[in-house]
Amino acid sequence: MIWWASNCFCKLDYVGTHIGYVLFHAYLARNKRPHPSSPAKECSQLPTKFFLTIKSDPERATSEHAMKSSFPSVRRRTPRTLRRRDGLIAHAANVTSQNGEDGIIARIFDLLPHEDRRVCVDVGAWDGRHLSNTYALLVGNSTGGDEKTAKWSGVLIEADRQRFQELKALHEQLANVCICANVSCQPDSPMSLTAILNRDAPHLPENFDFLSIDVDGIDYWLLYDILGSHSDNDVENADSVHENREKSQRCYRPKVICIEFNPTMPMDLIYIQPRNDLIRHGSSLSAIVELANSSGYVLVETTTFNAFFVERIIYEKFLKQHVPDTTIEALHEITMGTSLYQLYDGTIKLWGCKRMLWHRLPMDEEKMQVLPMQDRQFPFAPSLDGSNHVLSAYQNDQTIRQRAVDMSPYCKRPTEGGDTSVLLESKRECFLKLNNTLRTDGFAFVRGTGISSKLCNDALKAAKSFLHNADESVRRSCLTKDRARRGYSPMCTENFASLIGQHGPNDLVKKFRVGPEKVRGKENQTKSLSSLHQQNSWPKEDVWREAPHFRSVIEEYYDNLRCAADSILAAICDGIIANNAELQKSMRVISEAQHDQQNTENHTSILTLLGYQPGSRHKKGSKGYLNPLVAAHTDVGMITVLLFDNGKCASLQRRKTDEATGSIEMSNDHDWMDVDLPFTNFLRDDDDPVFVVNVGDCLSELTGGYLRSTLHRVIPRTCETSKDDKDLVRTSLALFVGLEESAQLVLPSGDTLTYEEWRRQHIARALDVVKNTNDE
Ligand SMILES: O=C(O)CCC(=O)C(=O)O
Ligand SMILES: [Fe+2]
């Protein structure tokens, strides 16, 4: 209640002007509570009803939703803007232009004194038609003009040879000058704009009417070249233009200029791209305005990508009354900008445009993080004492929930008639986030699997009941010949240290395993078929009353989680291919296996229930550290999907991956970090359960180490509470996801072998290491 109320408190404060705030004050006054600026604890007494009284307003409803939600509420307020829409922009219209430029140009020349003949220069003319700002003038003048319509002629420059042929075909018959040239921004180059115009368009008047520059990079420097002699700002090498320009060169002063700027740059940023023909950054609007102003030009309008300038004298005489305010703020609004903000915990967030405009790729927030996930904490947070234990646990849960990757684009059945591009986009967001985390940590949290929290709770309870509450004789009734694969595996009978060729005491954990029984087409076979397909061993009702319930719940959980795990694996596979095309061949086996395994029994995924309890290993050994309950190891298969309760006697830990992992020294606690799941005590029926996913050795090998299996272990936690504490024992459900035994793996080396062969070799290698170290 405390955290909830304090959250509400903040929201009320934030929304401020809303009726809820007034009601809140009224409530406080009536109940003689202190002013809301006193500590949030005071609100903890507020009745739930109070919050229901302020539900009417939709804005309020959203805020209220945010109060209860684990996720932040992020919305856009329509900002107040100084942008005016009553100037030239009111005449925006397109013949061939992109964002209304044709109409604006027509309007400007309508406001100028009529002239029979006008001349324009188009730099970066493309084919003369596509997104052209001069086509309407030179070919089809249909946007404005009437009796005042002038006869236009032009000089059109284009570097692309193919486009130039089309340009020539269109314009030469109209007697316009077409020049195929890669214009240079170097001052002394014979290919500078001024040099080209001097040489190849000798009849171009110095004060021609209209200049359009759109070359996707050095636009600023072409304007600088044209206006050169007038610029006196502090741009590097400013004087060299004038020095190097031959005395005989004619200078130009177009009456009206349209020039492209980089629309993603903030309005107060003066960004001038390097004076280098090969660099394509673009320059900011502010930079171009500064250059134009210093040369006696005035900004009169902008569109999304283009700025319009006219000579100051022309502005004063003919445009001033139509465009009284020529500030950038009045004439532009950034609509393509991306802003970045940071949360107190060090998370970097994006706001605004989240796509790479020219590369048509989404910007991935996760890739932009400075801090790895585990270090994102507020450095000045007060440490919480015992009384705040519940609050801190709850907040920890919220953090895990927020970090968890939402798998619903992969796990949810697509809705009929749904927008496939939206689904693809959300799938992309999902696999990028999942793979980023798996790549850095080897571990990830996932949610949105479609598995109900009720089923998770039931499965955990059933497993706990079998592993901890039932009599040992019940468990022993499930012993099989192949203990490591089916049925019950008692305490201290397995040794995971051996999986990585290490020595250590046996693992202190009880296990129960369920797996696939049949291979499709061989349903009648009763004997064991292979090591991975065997008869399961369930407790019988005559030995244990809860046996039928136990079996049905665990089977339901197993079936559901297997499907979800297949989808998680599909997402990982998509992510690997998207980032690393070379691995496409190796990934094919996963996508084919995915396809094959749907609704069949051919998969090899095994569900293991694990039970931990306090015991001898909970006391510090002679070396001063606690021996693990499950030794450090990596999992063998493709991925593991884990769910566990919050039993206090043990913790899952993973090896930190950002440290040097050369040494396999297991005792240094600093090299390990806890992997916690949200408290199951807080898991309500409508919650979306969170699972841990980690990379197995086979996936790691298939990806050539692109994803790495991370060492993990289970360590004892010293238990201060009494031994009878119900929450002491720990129960974990681990689904080890494998491929079909006959699946053909293609390793990045080009070697091929079946999944079963790979498994056998992998385990034999581990055992060899143990044998060799024993022999030494
Ligand atoms: O108990 C756990 O949470 C994890 C156990 C584990 O890593 C394993 O069985 O491979
Ligand atoms: Fe494991």
Side-chain angles (χ1 to χ4, degrees), residues 406-679:
D406 179 8
M407 296 306 305
S408 51
Y410 277 90
C411 293
K412 242 200 228 150
R413 216 176 274 277
T415 47
E416 223 171 279
D419 188 339
T420 44
S421 67
V422 172
L423 178 67
L424 285 180
E425 190 57 42
S426 50
K427 278 190 164 183
R428 190 180 160 79
E429 198 176 307
C430 165
F431 69 61
L432 282 175
K433 192 171 172 194
L434 179 62
N435 279 21
N436 272 339
T437 326
L438 287 177
R439 235 169 107 65
T440 47
D441 299 345
F443 273 69
F445 294 114
V446 297
R447 61 182 179 87
T449 55
I451 300 177
S452 73
S453 78
K454 178 170 181 333
L455 179 57
C456 292
N457 270 331
D458 288 351
L460 280 170
K461 272 193 210 140
K464 183 172 175 175
S465 179
F466 175 78
L467 292 166
H468 298 289
N469 303 342
D471 197 83
E472 180 67 8
S473 61
V474 173
R475 290 186 286 275
R476 288 198 174 262
S477 74
C478 303
L479 282 171
T480 66
K481 278 207 196 95
D482 193 356
R483 234 181 10 219
R485 297 204 175 85
R486 287 298 186 279
Y488 183 48
S489 173
M491 281 277 179
C492 232
T493 51
E494 292 184 21
N495 193 307
F496 270 23
S498 65
L499 283 178
I500 54 160
Q502 292 273 306
H503 280 294
N506 278 0
D507 300 328
L508 260 190
V509 59
K510 299 178 239 183
K511 297 185 188 177
F512 175 82
R513 291 188 173 93
V514 200
E517 300 194 300
K518 296 182 267 269
V519 170
R520 192 171 36 164
K522 298 184 181 170
E523 285 86 353
N524 297 331
Q525 219 156 335
T526 45
K527 285 253 156 58
S528 74
L529 301 153
S530 72
S531 60
L532 292 168
H533 286 84
Q534 300 185 31
Q535 214 65 44
N536 285 320
S537 173
W538 295 99
K540 303 255 170 15
E541 195 174 3
D542 52 2
V543 184
W544 188 41
R545 209 163 37 90
E546 290 176 41
H549 172 75
F550 170 70
R551 178 172 179 169
S552 75
V553 169
I554 296 300
E555 277 184 338
E556 189 184 347
Y557 179 79
Y558 177 46
D559 289 344
N560 278 270
L561 192 59
R562 253 193 340 93
C563 284
D566 280 351
S567 306
I568 296 170
L569 199 50
I572 295 175
C573 177
D574 285 354
I576 292 168
I577 293 171
N579 266 309
N580 202 331
E582 286 160 30
L583 291 172
Q584 193 144 7
K585 253 197 200 150
S586 306
M587 288 303 104
R588 201 174 301 145
V589 66
I590 303 183
S591 32
E592 280 166 10
Q594 293 294 312
H595 189 72
D596 249 38
Q597 286 184 16
Q598 301 287 325
N599 308 320
T600 80
E601 290 283 313
N602 285 3
H603 69 88
T604 57
S605 304
I606 290 185
L607 178 67
T608 306
L609 320 182
L610 300 107
Y612 304 85
Q613 63 198 47
S616 57
R617 225 170 270 179
H618 282 72
K619 294 180 199 81
K620 280 199 172 121
S622 53
K623 289 187 193 146
Y625 68 91
L626 295 165
N627 260 324
L629 301 177
V630 174
H633 66 281
T634 51
D635 293 344
V636 175
M638 300 297 284
I639 54 169
T640 307
V641 186
L642 279 165
L643 175 74
F644 42 82
D645 66 14
N646 317 108
K648 293 177 202 153
C649 73
S651 268
L652 172 65
Q653 290 193 317
R654 73 165 171 84
R655 179 90 159 169
K656 285 184 190 167
T657 43
D658 45 349
E659 324 260 292
T661 43
S663 130
I664 235 171
E665 177 56 58
M666 302 298 173
S667 56
N668 189 353
D669 282 344
H670 297 297
D671 292 345
W672 294 91
M673 62 183 300
D674 285 4
V675 181
D676 291 324
L677 276 176
F679 258 71

Side-chain angles (χ1 to χ4, degrees), residues 164-462:
F164 180 73
Q165 292 309 321
E166 296 165 44
L167 180 74
K168 215 161 75 161
L170 176 68
H171 279 290
E172 270 192 351
Q173 52 176 337
L174 300 169
N176 294 315
V177 178
C178 298
I179 304 169
C180 186
N182 212 338
V183 186
S184 167
C185 65
Q186 297 309 314
D188 45 2
S189 165
M191 297 309 283
S192 77
L193 184 53
T194 314
I196 292 173
L197 293 177
N198 265 257
R199 187 178 58 241
D200 299 331
H203 304 299
L204 179 71
E206 287 176 7
N207 66 337
F208 64 92
D209 299 277
F210 177 58
L211 169 65
S212 173
I213 301 179
D214 179 358
V215 293
D216 301 318
I218 54 170
D219 308 61
Y220 175 96
W221 291 108
L222 300 194
L223 185 65
Y224 185 83
D225 175 18
I226 280 282
L227 307 179
S229 56
H230 304 277
S231 175
D232 58 5
N233 63 13
D234 60 356
V235 173
E236 202 188 342
N237 294 333
D239 292 334
S240 63
V241 185
H242 324 308
E243 282 161 18
N244 291 334
R245 190 170 283 173
E246 286 173 29
K247 290 275 178 298
S248 59
Q249 261 196 355
R250 291 183 313 139
C251 297
Y252 300 96
R253 257 191 100 64
K255 295 188 181 81
V256 180
I257 298 169
C258 172
I259 179 168
E260 194 177 63
F261 56 89
N262 183 326
T264 68
M265 294 180 179
M267 297 240 272
D268 53 350
L269 170 70
I270 298 177
Y271 185 93
I272 303 167
Q273 82 139 62
R275 192 172 194 171
N276 181 328
D277 296 333
L278 300 176
I279 291 177
R280 291 178 182 275
H281 292 178
S283 299
S284 68
L285 174 62
S286 289
I288 292 174
V289 169
E290 190 185 65
L291 169 65
N293 286 167
S294 67
S295 302
Y297 281 80
V298 179
L299 178 73
V300 289
E301 194 50 272
T302 72
T303 57
T304 311
F305 297 93
N306 287 299
F308 293 86
F309 297 94
V310 298
E311 272 195 294
R312 184 168 294 285
I313 305 170
I314 296 177
Y315 168 75
E316 296 289 347
K317 271 192 178 161
F318 307 110
L319 270 86
K320 194 169 185 166
Q321 68 178 113
H322 303 280
V323 189
D325 187 346
T326 61
T327 57
I328 295 177
E329 287 72 20
L331 296 178
H332 191 64
E333 196 171 29
I334 298 280
T335 51
M336 296 293 184
T338 308
S339 21
L340 188 149
Y341 59 98
Q342 45 189 305
L343 310 183
Y344 291 156
D345 66 3
T347 308
I348 290 176
K349 299 292 293 176
L350 293 180
W351 180 242
C353 176
K354 292 187 187 171
R355 289 191 75 81
M356 307 276 296
L357 277 193
W358 294 279
H359 298 75
R360 296 175 197 276
L361 287 172
M363 288 184 185
D364 179 6
E365 231 166 43
E366 250 340 285
K367 280 191 181 158
M368 297 182 190
Q369 301 303 324
V370 173
L371 296 176
M373 194 76 97
Q374 73 260 21
D375 293 347
R376 283 181 225 157
Q377 270 138 26
F378 182 52
F380 307 109
S383 59
L384 295 171
D385 60 23
S387 62
N388 276 326
H389 172 79
V390 176
L391 176 58
S392 88
Y394 174 81
Q395 283 165 347
N396 192 36
D397 282 9
Q398 300 298 74
T399 315
I400 296 169
R401 280 183 196 290
Q402 281 161 26
R403 285 179 185 175
V405 183
D406 179 8
M407 296 306 305
S408 51
Y410 277 90
C411 293
K412 242 200 228 150
R413 216 176 274 277
T415 47
E416 223 171 279
D419 188 339
T420 44
S421 67
V422 172
L423 178 67
L424 285 180
E425 190 57 42
S426 50
K427 278 190 164 183
R428 190 180 160 79
E429 198 176 307
C430 165
F431 69 61
L432 282 175
K433 192 171 172 194
L434 179 62
N435 279 21
N436 272 339
T437 326
L438 287 177
R439 235 169 107 65
T440 47
D441 299 345
F443 273 69
F445 294 114
V446 297
R447 61 182 179 87
T449 55
I451 300 177
S452 73
S453 78
K454 178 170 181 333
L455 179 57
C456 292
N457 270 331
D458 288 351
L460 280 170
K461 272 193 210 140

